[in-house]
């Protein structure tokens, strides 16, 4: 064995423990250790069978994802799991896999090579490889249908969602659930089966079905994958691999799986999704707020403002089991807010997302209030009142008076200066931005805005809390629009410019949806309400530099009362069910306005539409990075994936730029600069990286290695 896999004996049963913290990934050394342990067990005449169990908090979370990057950059792959799994399956003595925590990916493949599987009821099993842009590569697509049947195997491999141990037991994937001590239960089970013939998963075929029965399963699964995982290649490859299991003998099926796995592994999609996997964990790491930073317990919170955002935020806390006071200024506003919350929950019950009992419990956690009286007890307040500095300041002054020392005072502002808001209190160290995205109870992103004086405890608490709330928290600096909306400005500006230059509204949206975005920029504007941006632009107009081209079409549409979906007219027109259709009136209006402004009309390709919009994001992102308002390029990527519908398989705007090549991106931005002037001035960081032949990913690595992070708030 080695230090990653241990073997011990419990009387006549060998206990093989995998010990590779934190999640027992099958890193180099682990497969070798298991192989040696199986040999030792078979060679020991005093032993009848073996239990394989994970040390620490989980069974096995899968192959070591870090190894994939090495494989695709040309390093010789170390260890191939398939022979190990055959070796286990061919063991002369039975092997029982004992699962707690997770058996994911290679972990489940390992478990299926055992002759039996037992599990704690809280365990989860799954083949989540598609989330990394790959498919199971160690026989998962071949053994799983033999245990759970074709339909379930296709679903698990193509959708990548985990299955609870209870469900897995019902499916035949787990042979026994063990309440209480897992090892003791596994040992007892092993002694029951030790003298019986050991079944080999790969030799089973009774659940593989018939061609006539399977064909509609595969075709329905492909339809679902094309719709629900639009643009992703791995789910379709996973379906092909399971289909191979139904058509080919086991060994040939494994070969087919291997080919599909390798093709996926070397794809840009997989590289991007692996970047996202590690990125989601990286954003939690704040260089000057180490893991050991003390945190404040948040057991009771308040939300000020019961509008759409405030109500959504109250739901988020209640769903996490945290009692919440919801305050508004008068009975009518509060009653409206509460009724919207109830409606929201009712529709969750209707859609089967929550049970009525769950909803009743959550609703009991939300207490509507009209005064600050009970605020002296809360650990955190999130202010979500109308977006105006004077109002926010007065709310924060009230909170300063009403809350006990140590209460976190958070603002959900999406545009205003956190430092200015914090100046209205006597405790700016307790003030921070928590920028939720609409709908707050659905969107995963939480931008945590660090004020100049926000304390490390407050930052650490909000970062940790975001996980508890089911959000992904990303720390950003205090600049106008923070990170996400600051970049969204140039992106939507370009979308408008393109229309003013002759592109059709639908063509712009279509190009970006085909690129992979969840929605086009103009349809997004209509959904959010065009008047929101219009009002903000009017407020900031005095800051605009004269002589710089500004888009005008959206403001003019607003002047005509076309605010988007809410007025059933915006960039598109909408029927009473809010179904969009192109509006020739908009085309005619924009053509007229463009002619009056002397803007030449031309044919614009989908490729140019994508480059103009996406490179506008990249250029602004590079500025934000250099100014220190985002800690790393990957933080920007995670913001765009979770708050703005950017396609995960492209890894985020900065990763996408790396994939295209920064020289190419920079070159194109220089051309746009020549054609469109100052707004396209290339970001100095982008220029430097492009000229040095580097990437944003390399920039991130250098920053971490050199520990040169500036606190994200230096300006
Ligand atoms: C696969 O198996 C392919 C096969 O078919 C074989 C092909 C040949 N590798 O998530 P956490 C790290 S593909 C390397 O914060 P949690 C993670 O980066 C794999 N590292 O914990 C983090 O590091 P750090 C299929 C891994 O308790 C730390 O462990 N499997 C791996 O919230 C803690 O992770 C998957 O896709 C890994 N496989 O959640 C499962 N997994 O502390 C991926 C984790 O430095 N993993 N790390 O930031 C998970 O879903 C979650 O980690 C899990 C625990 C639910 C297990």
């Amino acid at each position: 064995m080695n230090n990653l896999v241990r073997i011990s004996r419990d009387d006549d049963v060998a206990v093989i423990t995998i010990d590779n913290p934190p999640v027992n990934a099958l890193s180099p050394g682990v497969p070798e250790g298991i192989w040696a342990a199986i040999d030792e067990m078979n060679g020991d005449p005093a032993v009848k069978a073996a239990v394989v169990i994970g040390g620490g908090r989980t069974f096995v979370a899968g192959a070591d994802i870090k190894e994939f990057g090495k494989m695709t950059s040309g390093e010789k792959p170390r260890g191939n799991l398939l022979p190990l799994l055959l070796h286990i399956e061919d063991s002369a003595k039975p092997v029982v896999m004992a699962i707690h925590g997770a058996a994911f990916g290679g972990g489940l493949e390992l478990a299926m090579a055992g002759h039996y599987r037992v599990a704690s009821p809280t365990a989860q099993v799954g083949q989540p490889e598609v989330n990394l842009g790959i498919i199971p590569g160690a026989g998962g697509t071949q053994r799983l249908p033999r245990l759970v049947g074709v339909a379930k195997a296709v679903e698990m491999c193509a959708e990548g969602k985990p299955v609870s141990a209870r469900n897995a037991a019902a499916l035949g994937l787990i042979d026994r659930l063990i309440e209480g001590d897992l090892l003791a239960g596994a040992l007892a089970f092993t002694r029951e089966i030790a003298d019986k013939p050991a079944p080999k998963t790969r030799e089973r075929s009774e659940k593989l079905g018939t061609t006539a029965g399977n064909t509609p399963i595969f075709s329905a699964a492909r339809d679902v994958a094309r719709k629900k995982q639009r643009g992703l290649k791995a789910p379709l490859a996973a379906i092909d691999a399971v289909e191979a299991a139904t058509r080919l003998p086991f060994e040939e099926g494994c070969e087919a799986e291997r080919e599909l796995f390798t093709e996926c592994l070397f794809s840009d999609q997989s590289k991007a999704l692996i970047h996202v996997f590690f990125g989601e964990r990286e954003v939690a790491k704040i260089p000057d707020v180490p893991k050991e930073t003390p945190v404040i317990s948040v057991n009771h919170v308040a939300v000020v403002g019961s509008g759409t955002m405030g109500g959504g935020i109250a739901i988020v806390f209640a769903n996490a089991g945290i009692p919440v006071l919801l305050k508004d200024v008068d009975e009518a506003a509060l009653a409206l807010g509460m009724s919207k919350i109830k409606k929201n929950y009712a529709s969750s019950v209707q859609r089967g997302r929550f049970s009525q009992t769950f909803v009743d419990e959550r609703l009991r956690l939300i207490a509507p209030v009209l005064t600050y009286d009970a605020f002296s007890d809360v650990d955190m307040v999130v202010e979500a009142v109308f977006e105006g500095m004077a109002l926010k300041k007065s709310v924060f002054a009230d909170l300063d008076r009403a809350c006990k020392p140590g209460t976190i005072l958070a603002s959900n502002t999406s545009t205003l200066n956190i430092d200015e808001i914090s100046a209205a209190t006597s405790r700016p160290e307790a003030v921070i931005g928590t920028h939720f995205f609409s709908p707050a109870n659905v969107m995963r992103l939480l931008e945590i805005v660090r004020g100049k004086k926000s304390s490390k405890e407050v930052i650490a608490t909000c970062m940790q809390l975001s996980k508890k709330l089911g959000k992904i928290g990303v720390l950003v600096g205090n600049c106008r629009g923070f990170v996400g909306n600051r970049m969204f400005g140039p992106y939507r500006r370009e979308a408008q410019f393109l229309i003013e230059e002759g592109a059709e509204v639908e063509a712009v949206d279509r190009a970006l949806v085909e690129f992979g975005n969840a929605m086009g920029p103009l349809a997004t504007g209509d959904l959010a309400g065009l008047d929101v941006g219009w009002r903000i632009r009017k407020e900031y107009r005095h800051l605009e530099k004269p002589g710089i081209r500004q888009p005008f079409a959206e403001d003019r549409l607003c002047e005509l009362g076309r605010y988007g979906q809410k007025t059933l007219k915006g960039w598109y027109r909408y029927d009473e069910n809010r179904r969009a259709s192109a509006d020739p009136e908009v085309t005619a209006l924009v053509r007229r306005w463009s002619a009056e402004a002397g803007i030449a009309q031309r044919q614009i390709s989908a490729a140019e539409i994508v480059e103009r919009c996406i490179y506008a994001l990249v250029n602004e992102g590079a500025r934000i990075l250099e100014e220190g308002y985002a800690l790393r390029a990957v933080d920007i990527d995670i913001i765009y994936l979770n708050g703005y519908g950017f396609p995960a398989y492209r890894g985020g705007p900065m990763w996408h730029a790396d994939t295209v090549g920064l020289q190419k991106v920079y070159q194109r931005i220089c051309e746009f600069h020549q054609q469109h002037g100052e707004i396209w001035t290339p970001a100095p960081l982008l220029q430097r990286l492009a000229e040095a032949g580097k990437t944003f990913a390399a920039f991130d690595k250098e920053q971490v290695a050199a520990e040169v992070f500036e606190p994200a708030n230096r300006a």
Side-chain angles (χ1 to χ4, degrees), residues 553-615:
E554 200 158 285
D555 289 352
R556 300 253 177 106
L557 291 176
C558 286
E559 283 159 20
L560 296 173
R562 299 187 69 120
Y563 294 171
Q565 288 199 17
K566 59 180 141 183
T567 56
L568 301 184
K569 278 179 172 187
W571 285 107
Y572 295 87
R573 63 173 172 218
Y574 297 87
D575 65 16
E576 57 291 355
N577 297 318
R578 298 207 171 183
R579 257 194 309 264
S581 55
D583 192 343
E585 197 184 321
V586 171
T587 313
L589 282 168
V590 179
R591 294 293 156 263
R592 201 181 78 219
W593 295 332
S594 296
E596 284 163 11
I599 299 174
Q601 302 292 290
R602 63 195 174 88
Q603 286 283 328
I604 301 178
S605 69
E608 180 179 341
I609 292 171
V610 169
E611 285 177 335
R612 291 267 296 271
C613 293
I614 301 297
Y615 294 173

Side-chain angles (χ1 to χ4, degrees), residues 145-455:
R146 288 174 159 83
L147 288 173
V148 302
V150 174
K152 193 67 195 175
V154 165
E155 184 191 309
M156 286 175 70
C157 293
E159 294 181 15
K161 293 197 191 107
V163 170
S164 71
R166 280 191 200 287
N167 287 342
L171 290 164
L173 184 51
I174 300 293
D175 298 295
R176 182 176 294 171
L177 291 175
I178 310 268
E179 306 278 351
D181 187 78
L182 177 65
L183 180 58
L187 286 167
F189 176 88
T190 305
R191 293 196 171 99
E192 282 172 37
I193 55 85
D195 299 319
K196 297 186 184 149
K200 294 184 189 181
T201 306
R202 72 172 192 267
E203 288 176 357
R204 292 175 57 172
S205 61
E206 73 275 14
K207 290 193 177 176
L208 286 179
T210 59
T211 309
N214 290 335
T215 305
I217 296 176
F218 294 123
S219 99
R222 287 187 178 102
D223 287 348
V224 170
R226 285 195 190 100
K227 207 165 135 209
K228 287 206 181 153
Q229 295 152 289
R230 186 169 57 89
L232 263 178
K233 293 181 187 142
L236 294 169
I239 298 167
D240 290 350
V242 177
E243 187 167 22
T246 64
R247 292 183 190 273
L248 301 171
F250 180 81
E251 288 71 20
E252 285 174 40
C254 284
E255 271 167 40
E257 178 195 80
R258 190 79 203 164
E259 258 175 49
L260 289 158
F261 169 83
T262 308
E263 198 179 301
C264 288
L265 183 65
F266 280 82
S267 69
D268 283 344
Q269 291 198 349
S270 165
K271 288 175 194 156
L273 287 162
I274 289 173
H275 160 74
V276 175
F277 176 85
F278 287 115
E280 286 193 347
R281 284 146 184 91
E282 188 74 11
V283 295
K285 295 169 190 157
I286 316 295
D288 69 330
V289 184
K291 261 207 320 253
E292 313 71 62
T293 309
V295 291
I296 300 158
S297 312
V298 177
N299 300 317
H300 195 182
V301 302
V303 174
V304 184
S306 68
T308 310
M309 283 313 286
I313 296 168
I315 293 178
V316 170
F317 281 109
N319 286 352
I322 303 175
V324 43
L325 301 174
L326 181 63
K327 183 190 174 301
D328 216 316
V329 284
D330 57 45
E331 286 286 0
L334 204 52
L336 184 67
M338 283 306 292
S339 80
K340 281 194 185 152
I341 290 175
K342 285 180 189 152
K343 219 168 125 188
N344 199 312
Y345 270 129
S347 95
S348 301
V349 173
Q350 222 168 32
R351 281 181 287 119
R353 186 164 169 240
F354 294 145
S355 70
Q356 190 59 49
T357 327
F358 176 91
V359 165
D360 292 342
E361 275 166 19
R362 304 301 126 168
L363 275 169
R364 271 197 292 278
L365 292 176
I366 305 177
V369 294
L370 288 170
T371 68
Y372 288 113
D373 293 348
F375 275 48
S376 53
D377 279 344
V378 300
D379 307 306
M380 177 172 182
V381 183
V382 180
E383 163 279 310
V385 301
F386 192 73
E387 193 78 348
M389 185 52 91
L391 177 61
K392 301 245 179 204
K393 279 183 165 173
S394 107
V395 169
F396 271 76
D398 290 340
L399 292 175
D400 195 25
R401 280 187 290 274
C403 298
K404 65 185 178 197
T407 300
I408 299 171
L409 305 182
S411 172
N412 181 51
T413 180
S414 54
T415 48
L416 300 173
N417 186 330
I418 287 292
D419 292 327
E420 205 179 326
I421 295 174
S422 76
T425 73
S426 62
R427 41 172 131 174
E429 70 287 351
V431 178
I432 195 160
T434 48
H435 179 205
F436 288 82
F437 285 69
S438 187
N441 55 316
V442 176
M443 298 295 286
R444 215 171 146 229
L445 177 63
L446 181 61
E447 270 188 336
I448 297 174
V449 189
R450 179 179 196 159
K452 269 202 179 72
K453 295 190 178 157
S454 308
S455 77

Side-chain angles (χ1 to χ4, degrees), residues 126-137:
Q127 299 285 176
E129 285 88 344
V130 286
N131 300 322
L132 301 169
I134 54 174
I135 66 163

Side-chain angles (χ1 to χ4, degrees), residues 22-23 57 61-65 105-106 109 128-129 136-137 277 281 285 467:
V23 294
R57 58 170 148 133
D64 186 337
I65 301 167
E109 290 172 307
E129 285 88 344
F277 176 85
R281 284 146 184 91
K285 295 169 190 157
K467 205 168 175 188

Side-chain angles (χ1 to χ4, degrees), residues 461-578:
T461 305
C462 289
M463 292 300 294
Q464 205 187 65
L465 183 67
S466 57
K467 205 168 175 188
K468 188 166 177 197
L469 299 179
K471 304 283 168 205
I472 180 142
V474 184
L475 190 69
V476 299
N478 179 29
C479 57
R480 206 174 113 198
F482 313 129
V483 170
N485 283 347
R486 177 169 157 186
M487 288 165 65
F488 207 53
Y491 170 77
R492 292 205 69 253
R493 173 200 75 202
E494 287 306 311
Q496 286 191 68
F497 279 168
L498 287 158
I499 289 168
E500 291 169 10
E501 290 163 28
E504 294 290 336
V505 173
E506 280 178 300
V508 171
D509 277 349
R510 196 182 320 117
L512 287 150
V513 168
E514 271 165 21
F515 172 79
N517 282 1
M519 262 180 118
L522 305 160
T524 308
D526 274 359
L527 177 68
L530 301 181
D531 53 321
V532 181
W534 179 46
R535 280 181 228 284
I536 296 172
R537 281 191 295 279
K538 280 200 280 194
E539 199 164 310
Y540 287 107
R541 189 130 296 157
H542 63 284
L543 298 176
E544 278 167 12
K545 248 167 119 182
I548 304 266
R549 180 180 169 192
Q550 296 293 340
F552 53 76
E554 200 158 285
D555 289 352
R556 300 253 177 106
L557 291 176
C558 286
E559 283 159 20
L560 296 173
R562 299 187 69 120
Y563 294 171
Q565 288 199 17
K566 59 180 141 183
T567 56
L568 301 184
K569 278 179 172 187
W571 285 107
Y572 295 87
R573 63 173 172 218
Y574 297 87
D575 65 16
E576 57 291 355
N577 297 318
R578 298 207 171 183

